[in-house]
Amino acid sequence: MRGATHAKWAACAVAVALAATACGGGGSDGGGGESGIVSSSWGDPQNPLEPANTNEVQGGKVLDMIFRGLKRYDPKTGAAVNMVAEKIDTTDSQNFTVTLKDGWKFSNDEPVTAQSFVDAWNYGADVRNKQNNSPFFSDIVGYENLHPASGEPKTKTMSGLVVKDAKTFTVALKSKFSTWPETLGYQAFSPLPKAFFTDHAGWLSKPIGNGPYTVDSYTKGTAMNLRKWDGYTGEDKAQNGGVDLRVYTDNNTAYTDLISGNLDLVDDIPAQQLKNVANDLGDRYINQPALIIQTLTFPLYDPQWGKEGMEKVRRGISMAINRDEITKQIFRDTRTPAKDWTSPALGEDGGFNATLCGDACVFNPTEAKKLIQEAGGLPGGKMTLTSNVDTGSHRDWMDAVCNSVNNALGEGPVCTVNPVGTFADFRNQQSAFKLTGPFRSGWQADYPLIQNFLEPLYYTGASSNYGKFSNPEFDKLVDQANQESDTAKATATFQDAEKILAEQMPAIPLWYQNGSAGHSERISDVALNQFSVPVYNAIKVS
Amino acid sequence: MGRYVIRRLLQMIPVFIGSTFLIFFMVYALGDPVAALFGDKAPDPATAARIRKDLYLDQPLWKQYLHYMGQIFQGDFGTAFNGQPVTELMASAFPVTLRLTLVAIVIEVIVGITLGVISGLRRGRTVDTTVLVLTLVVISVPTFVTGYLLQFLFGVKWGWVRPTVSGEVAFGELILPGIVLALVSLAYVTRLSRTSIAENVKADYVRTAVAKGLPRRRVITRHLLRNSLIPVVTFIGTDIGALMGGAIVTERIFNIHGVGYQLYQGILRNNSPTVVGFVTILVIVFLLANLLVDLLYAVLDPRIRYA
């Protein structure tokens, strides 16, 4: 009897101790605890985590959790809906008045005001801060003063931004840009708290935002633990207790962890595992379109490729590529054969049109051979495909495309592959305009707008127009579309411009890239948004 | 002895300068890293120019190198692109890899030498043949194969261990990666010590020791093993450096954020401060390990003297 009591006491003590340690490890919020936490794979962000300096998925993932801007893209439809903005008014598509909603604050209790936006945007545009996303502010009047092409800026603010009161500010753009408010869902336009400017290093080591999560701890290069912020007043509150992001050196390893139950969510299924994924995960595998397209751009600055009449050859090469076969065999349907120059994630209303490329995007080797021969054959009788080969199975698909072209032409191995070791090296060759054959160009849109798929890539002199395509008619249509205040009309005009691409074929649309993810049985309601980032706040933990 | 050490340390200086220059040159030859910072988008010229200026990339190569070396002697290894000082990266990466290396070396020494002694003493018998065949197999299978295989068997299929290493990097978690990392070197250690033991077992001093009636255990450990260890120690010494730098594959498989990971990231992103900084430290580790090996010779064999 006595012994039994002792045992009971010991058992109770152990239970209490266990409970205590569990609480200690489970984070500070009362609701979640370790059991309500989602663990997810992550990659080391390439740049310091600042809204205007983050232009890749891994950093964007965090920003999407800790920030809410004026607008946010609906994860399902891609439509830009108001978040912090009450309304954005304009009468001339050039001068905008932004009014903020009440009640928004940062997780350090500082209210989100008009000043929070204006300061953040001025910081992002200032060349002294070396922010990658500076050009996003270039439409605003006064950008040149803060971001001169050379020399020191004279001011610290853009004259186009004026704070009227705590809840209102006005924006003056350099020219008409009817869809400008729709671009404000991009994370570069996030507001910043005062702490960002007063203690920058401290902020970087533990970012403070106004989103549904707060950063609990951040070990650079290893992990970031985010917890649900109970003070969040927005409608999209976190449905889980928090998210633990773990940096994986290799997505194969992350996948192994998912399979063995150590990880809840992987948002990038490695190519080697795609053949097992249906078996391993069943309906816990997600494969859906994202705002990413891969194209093969021609160096039109090279007279051989750019001269009159070569559009026939370019169209012929496009017809010689068996997109269906390649996306099935190499990418296991995580890519969709492209039928225009945008992405299905835009939706039909947004400007996606599966008929735009027409015959030119349909595999037809006989017609391809005919077209190319009519126009005098490949320049110099051969062509070379160039891409970096450090990621993305680029080597495999380039080999496949070349095989496809060689088979269609039947003149022996006229198409060869030029593999470049690193992305950085490839980018250098590309931006120095040194390539003499078609090269890969991937494009991930910043916002779900057809404008973003066309203007930066094919407008004369545009920043990412690496083939130096130039067509006055195309430019005219883009300008027209930007001035058009009726969204449907603007989209239609953009599509008219796109038809010129179908004729001229400055870049061959290859395929749309899907987001692919897998998750454990513990969590549900997992979805990817148009940027192939998981919608973390909607995930439920059972 | 003292003069010898000083001479050796002085010899390290040209080796150090030469190797860092070569690495610097090679990373530089990979091209301008700034363009890649902007992803698929075109770099904004003004911003890119500023980043280049800050990273000293707008200067000729020799000036960059001098600037870099000047920084190093002040203890500043530059900044990685994510804004972290390289010294901070080192402080987090080297202890992790050091721990992994330690686990690997311990496994290598204990298992390798034991197997070597056993098979060396039984040359030509079944045990010896088995060990030889096994080591041959281990040497011929690449690390990533054994790594993924063991990870799958122990981590996924049987669930004995976690397939990856957590952020804390506890010693217990490092046993499996340690084995994977040690395996190839372990085979070499086994074969080296086997050959050495098999040769020395017929030596006069062993016969004398046996004739003196010393116990078998003492003959093996004090007389036979001590004299047979010189080639093994040479190998293990150079292996320390090789393991630290060569853990890239193992670290990737088991998600260990050590030197290999940082080097891999650095190379992928053309980040010269990271790559050159880490390799510089590895060069120093190599040089010191070599010095240590040379000094250990004298401990093992008192006939070896340094002047």
Side-chain angles (χ1 to χ4, degrees):
Chain A
M1 191 66 201
R2 227 185 141 77
T5 346
H6 272 298
K8 226 185 249 168
W9 273 108
C12 280
V14 170
V16 169
L18 281 177
T21 43
C23 293
S28 50
D29 57 311
E34 209 64 18
S35 58
I37 307 290
V38 180
S39 58
S40 174
S41 69
W42 195 33
D44 208 7
Q46 203 170 1
N47 302 305
L49 269 176
E50 299 163 294
N53 205 11
T54 298
N55 58 357
E56 38 75 58
V57 175
Q58 304 304 341
K61 226 181 250 184
V62 176
L63 295 182
D64 190 46
M65 280 190 266
I66 61 172
F67 276 109
R68 287 292 177 266
L70 292 171
K71 285 185 179 259
R72 183 169 191 247
Y73 301 114
D74 185 289
K76 281 202 186 73
T77 63
V81 289
N82 284 346
M83 287 305 284
V84 181
E86 173 82 45
K87 55 183 197 279
I88 301 171
D89 290 327
T90 181
T91 49
D92 56 358
S93 296
Q94 189 168 359
N95 292 288
F96 296 85
T97 307
V98 182
T99 316
L100 307 185
K101 277 182 196 150
D102 286 319
W104 281 85
K105 55 183 184 182
F106 293 101
S107 59
N108 62 356
D109 272 342
E110 186 192 322
V112 179
T113 63
Q115 198 69 45
S116 321
F117 282 97
V118 171
D119 285 347
W121 295 5
N122 280 328
Y123 180 88
D126 195 330
V127 70
R128 285 167 290 206
N129 300 323
K130 294 169 289 184
Q131 304 283 296
N132 281 340
N133 290 333
S134 295
F136 282 90
F137 304 99
S138 61
D139 299 308
I140 300 171
V141 170
Y143 174 76
E144 274 70 29
N145 295 335
L146 208 49
H147 200 107
S150 61
E152 284 294 309
K154 290 166 206 78
T155 61
K156 287 195 137 184
T157 52
M158 288 183 280
S159 52
L161 294 178
V162 181
V163 177
K164 293 285 174 196
D165 57 57
K167 292 234 152 39
T168 328
F169 68 102
T170 60
V171 184
L173 299 186
K174 285 183 223 156
S175 56
K176 290 187 183 214
F177 187 178
S178 60
T179 47
W180 182 77
E182 318 283 305
T183 67
L184 295 175
Y186 189 61
Q187 286 151 342
F189 296 102
S190 301
L192 287 169
K194 291 207 174 64
F196 179 87
F197 305 99
T198 51
D199 177 17
H200 193 231
W203 192 92
L204 283 181
S205 60
K206 203 172 171 182
I208 299 163
N210 63 335
Y213 292 94
T214 57
V215 178
D216 189 49
S217 67
Y218 179 22
T219 320
K220 273 187 190 154
T222 307
M224 180 184 267
N225 295 339
L226 295 124
R227 290 296 170 262
K228 180 184 179 175
W229 176 37
D230 290 326
Y232 181 66
T233 49
E235 278 166 20
D236 53 341
K237 280 192 172 49
Q239 301 296 310
N240 46 54
V243 179
D244 284 353
L245 296 174
R246 289 190 216 148
V247 173
Y248 279 88
T249 52
D250 182 356
N251 55 3
N252 269 303
T253 316
Y255 188 78
T256 308
D257 252 359
L258 174 71
I259 297 302
S260 49
N262 282 317
L263 190 71
D264 290 326
L265 179 60
V266 168
D267 64 352
D268 178 24
I269 307 282
Q272 300 96 305
Q273 303 288 358
L274 287 172
K275 56 182 183 296
N276 312 324
V277 79
N279 241 337
D280 289 343
L281 296 173
D283 59 355
R284 288 179 284 123
Y285 167 57
I286 299 167
N287 178 18
Q288 69 178 57
L291 291 169
I292 309 172
I293 185 171
Q294 295 282 348
T295 56
L296 210 49
T297 302
F298 289 96
L300 300 179
Y301 48 82
D302 183 316
Q304 284 200 308
W305 285 104
K307 71 178 183 226
E308 200 70 23
M310 280 304 276
E311 63 273 2
K312 257 185 165 176
V313 175
R314 301 197 292 261
R315 278 172 69 93
I317 295 171
S318 173
M319 290 166 105
I321 299 171
N322 192 343
R323 295 173 178 77
D324 294 309
E325 185 87 9
I326 295 171
T327 49
K328 192 168 282 152
Q329 296 295 330
I330 294 173
F331 295 113
R332 306 239 167 209
D333 295 322
T334 56
R335 307 284 189 276
T336 313
K339 301 208 162 16
D340 74 346
W341 283 262
T342 65
S343 157
L346 278 184
E348 300 263 334
D349 292 339
F352 167 69
N353 187 335
T355 61
L356 243 157
C357 184
D359 294 342
C361 286
V362 178
F363 179 54
N364 187 345
T366 37
E367 182 67 20
K369 186 174 180 180
K370 210 178 104 198
L371 268 178
I372 294 172
Q373 280 176 349
E374 272 176 18
L378 299 173
K382 58 187 192 300
M383 69 180 214
T384 315
L385 302 185
T386 306
S387 166
N388 57 310
V389 291
D390 48 353
T391 52
S393 313
H394 293 320
R395 178 91 210 218
D396 301 334
W397 70 253
M398 284 203 295
D399 283 336
V401 165
C402 265
N403 274 335
S404 217
V405 171
N406 288 335
N407 288 340
L409 289 179
E411 294 166 8
V414 289
C415 175
T416 48
V417 167
N418 167 26
V420 179
T422 63
F423 181 62
D425 191 12
F426 172 62
R427 297 281 307 148
N428 284 324
Q429 295 190 25
Q430 196 186 27
S431 45
F433 305 105
K434 277 185 185 154
L435 296 163
T436 54
F439 51 89
R440 175 186 79 86
S441 35
W443 182 255
Q444 166 148 26
D446 307 303
Y447 22 80
L449 289 178
I450 185 173
Q451 177 266 349
N452 196 243
F453 277 99
L454 301 178
E455 191 174 340
L457 294 168
Y458 308 110
Y459 195 85
T460 303
S463 57
S464 296
N465 186 348
Y466 290 116
K468 289 207 172 169
F469 174 68
S470 176
N471 183 300
E473 188 64 19
F474 179 89
D475 294 354
K476 209 179 94 194
L477 286 167
V478 167
D479 288 339
Q480 246 175 43
N482 275 333
Q483 285 166 19
E484 179 60 60
S485 53
D486 179 27
T487 326
K489 269 191 198 157
T491 306
T493 315
F494 273 121
Q495 284 180 330
D496 288 340
E498 209 181 332
K499 281 175 193 147
I500 292 170
L501 299 183
E503 282 161 26
Q504 293 291 319
M505 197 62 79
I508 298 175
L510 290 172
W511 32 76
Y512 312 117
Q513 189 165 325
N514 289 5
S516 63
H519 63 91
S520 70
E521 281 162 356
R522 263 184 84 223
I523 60 174
S524 57
D525 292 74
V526 183
L528 300 175
N529 65 15
Q530 290 83 7
F531 308 96
S532 71
V533 170
V535 187
Y536 284 104
N537 57 286
I539 294 175
K540 293 198 175 92
V541 185
S542 63
Chain B
M1 178 84 167
R3 277 184 59 189
Y4 174 78
V5 172
I6 289 168
R7 210 173 64 213
R8 282 291 301 265
L9 287 174
L10 286 176
Q11 278 171 2
M12 283 185 191
I13 295 170
V15 178
F16 175 74
I17 292 175
S19 52
T20 46
F21 182 76
L22 278 179
I23 299 152
F24 199 87
F25 184 74
M26 284 190 277
V27 177
Y28 182 88
L30 284 176
D32 179 8
V34 176
L37 283 180
F38 293 82
D40 284 330
K41 298 197 179 54
D44 171 62
T47 311
R50 269 185 192 254
I51 297 177
R52 278 197 192 99
K53 187 160 187 282
D54 274 17
L55 295 174
Y56 230 75
L57 289 169
D58 53 346
Q59 304 287 334
L61 178 60
W62 63 272
K63 262 195 184 166
Q64 286 188 37
Y65 179 71
L66 284 186
H67 174 79
Y68 182 77
M69 289 311 273
Q71 273 189 331
I72 281 192
F73 285 115
Q74 290 161 30
D76 178 6
F77 280 83
T79 315
F81 292 143
N82 67 358
Q84 250 180 312
V86 174
T87 41
E88 211 175 86
L89 288 181
M90 288 176 180
S92 71
F94 271 99
V96 170
T97 300
L98 204 64
R99 233 181 278 184
L100 179 64
T101 313
L102 212 68
V103 174
I105 294 273
V106 168
I107 295 172
E108 206 176 301
V109 167
I110 296 178
V111 181
I113 295 182
T114 314
L115 280 179
V117 171
I118 294 173
S119 58
L121 289 175
R122 291 180 175 66
R123 193 153 77 146
R125 306 223 210 127
T126 328
V127 182
D128 184 34
T129 325
T130 318
V131 168
L132 281 181
V133 170
L134 275 181
T135 49
L136 190 69
V137 171
V138 167
I139 289 170
S140 51
V141 177
T143 311
F144 75 90
V145 175
T146 44
Y148 279 122
L149 188 73
L150 293 184
Q151 182 189 43
F152 177 74
L153 289 179
F154 290 102
V156 182
K157 195 140 186 247
W158 300 327
W160 292 355
V161 292
R162 271 186 53 151
T164 56
V165 174
S166 72
E168 286 111 58
V169 206
F171 271 108
E173 295 176 306
L174 287 175
I175 292 178
L176 186 62
I179 292 173
V180 171
L181 183 60
L183 228 41
V184 172
S185 308
L186 191 152
Y188 284 117
V189 170
T190 308
R191 289 184 152 227
L192 274 175
S193 41
R194 171 197 171 269
T195 316
S196 192
I197 293 268
E199 260 171 32
N200 286 341
V201 83
K202 288 180 233 133
D204 292 345
Y205 63 86
V206 175
R207 209 169 45 200
T208 312
V210 174
K212 276 201 295 187
L214 289 180
R216 186 178 155 78
R217 208 190 146 76
R218 195 172 162 79
V219 174
I220 292 173
T221 51
R222 294 291 295 177
H223 296 258
L224 180 57
L225 195 56
R226 192 169 156 173
N227 281 291
S228 311
L229 274 185
I230 287 183
V232 182
V233 164
T234 314
F235 177 77
I236 293 175
T238 47
D239 206 35
I240 293 174
L243 284 181
M244 289 195 78
I248 294 183
V249 177
T250 317
E251 290 190 357
R252 255 175 87 85
I253 295 174
F254 293 97
N255 199 32
I256 302 168
H257 298 243
V259 173
Y261 167 65
Q262 296 295 352
L263 269 177
Y264 177 77
Q265 290 280 321
I267 291 168
L268 216 59
R269 293 177 182 175
N270 270 16
N271 197 344
S272 37
T274 317
V275 179
V276 184
F278 273 81
V279 177
T280 305
I281 300 287
L282 285 178
V283 168
I284 294 174
V285 171
F286 254 104
L287 292 173
L288 288 180
N290 265 323
L291 178 62
L292 197 72
V293 166
D294 286 350
L295 295 179
L296 266 181
Y297 287 162
V299 178
L300 288 171
D301 187 348
R303 283 171 301 179
I304 299 175
R305 295 258 184 277
Y306 299 111

